[in-house]
Amino acid sequence: KWRIVFPDNERRWKDWKQASPFYSGNRIQTTKYTWFTFLPKNLFEQFHRLGNLYFFFLAVLNWFPQVEVFHREITMLPLIVVLLASMIKDAVEDYRKYQFDKTINSSKTRVYDK
């Protein structure tokens, strides 16, 4: 699907109606997450890191009584702390990106015409 751009402001409205209705606009969006996708996307990204997979493997392994070294909850503690810290950091970064995008998108622009 192609979009049609009319740089000349003297075009008629019927030409504009024939243009592609799928034009997305000039909004800038640099955020990664939405409210609904934050948890699944963030967990997916977190478990792509080798260290997090290692701690997850230790936590799962410790749930078997034959291999249990520490209490089950204590083994999960480092993983939960690291995941929560990373989630908070990612949420703060994404919120700052959202605020910056909102500032940029609402700023006034000057359009030069012939």
Side-chain angles (χ1 to χ4, degrees):
K1 297 178 181 177
W2 295 88
R3 69 180 173 102
I4 301 171
V5 178
F6 296 108
D8 188 9
N9 288 336
E10 296 174 9
R11 294 273 183 179
R12 300 227 196 271
W13 179 249
K14 72 173 188 162
D15 292 337
W16 179 252
K17 280 184 176 179
Q18 292 174 356
S20 175
F22 302 105
Y23 176 62
S24 63
N26 291 332
R27 260 184 69 224
I28 294 174
Q29 183 177 2
T30 58
T31 57
K32 274 196 247 183
Y33 309 108
T34 63
W35 287 103
F36 301 111
T37 63
F38 177 74
L39 189 63
K41 275 187 177 181
N42 194 278
L43 286 175
F44 182 74
E45 289 178 8
Q46 294 299 328
F47 284 114
H48 269 85
R49 296 183 181 144
L50 190 60
N52 292 345
L53 280 177
Y54 173 73
F55 282 114
F56 180 72
F57 176 71
L58 286 180
V60 169
L61 196 61
N62 207 32
W63 280 88
F64 295 107
Q66 298 87 357
V67 190
E68 183 178 358
V69 178
F70 302 110
H71 294 288
R72 295 175 184 159
E73 296 80 16
I74 293 176
T75 309
M76 291 174 36
L77 192 63
L79 177 65
I80 291 172
V81 168
V82 168
L83 288 179
L84 281 177
S86 297
M87 280 184 180
I88 291 170
K89 176 192 70 80
D90 289 342
V92 168
E93 283 180 4
D94 209 53
Y95 183 69
R96 286 182 183 159
K97 286 180 184 180
Y98 167 74
Q99 287 180 327
F100 184 70
D101 292 346
K102 192 174 171 183
T103 304
I104 294 294
N105 288 330
S106 65
S107 64
K108 292 182 179 182
T109 57
R110 179 174 288 178
V111 177
Y112 292 100
D113 198 7
K114 294 180 185 179

